[in-house]
Amino acid sequence: MDEQKKLKVGFILAKMFEITAFYELNKINDNRTSFTYTVTSRPLKWFLKLLLLFATDKVVVEFLERVKKVVEAETVSS
């Protein structure tokens, strides 16, 4: 098994935002893995920059909690 895996994806969302996501998995030992998730969202329209001032990390935190639950459930069942 590889000790490290990386994946980078990018796309344009509704001609409004350029989204880039980077996922990195690093094997710590047979029972532990480090998961790093980095995302950038660049507005393509000037008025969207103002909206980002009021944005929160809630969506990202909820997404990562769902990922964690799925991974932990699969680990327990295997």
Side-chain angles (χ1 to χ4, degrees), residues 63-77:
F63 168 73
L64 292 175
E65 285 297 323
R66 287 195 309 266
V67 169
K68 181 181 177 193
K69 287 178 184 176
V70 168
V71 170
E72 288 175 343
E74 288 182 7
T75 303
V76 170
S77 64

Side-chain angles (χ1 to χ4, degrees), residues 44-60:
L44 299 176
K45 311 276 186 196
W46 68 269
F47 58 89
L48 295 172
K49 291 179 184 179
L50 296 175
L51 292 176
L52 287 181
L53 293 174
F54 302 103
T56 67
D57 294 335
K58 181 181 177 185
V59 172
V60 174

Side-chain angles (χ1 to χ4, degrees), residues 34-46:
S34 168
F35 172 65
T36 305
Y37 170 73
T38 306
V39 66
T40 58
S41 177
R42 187 173 66 90
L44 299 176
K45 311 276 186 196
W46 68 269

Side-chain angles (χ1 to χ4, degrees), residues 5-13 17-25 35-42 60 63-64 67:
K5 295 187 182 211
K6 296 180 182 182
L7 174 65
K8 183 176 182 180
V9 294
F11 57 93
I12 304 292
L13 180 64
F17 293 96
E18 180 181 10
I19 310 291
T20 304
F22 181 69
Y23 305 87
E24 185 175 7
L25 294 167
F35 172 65
T36 305
Y37 170 73
T38 306
V39 66
T40 58
S41 177
R42 187 173 66 90
V60 174
F63 168 73
L64 292 175
V67 169

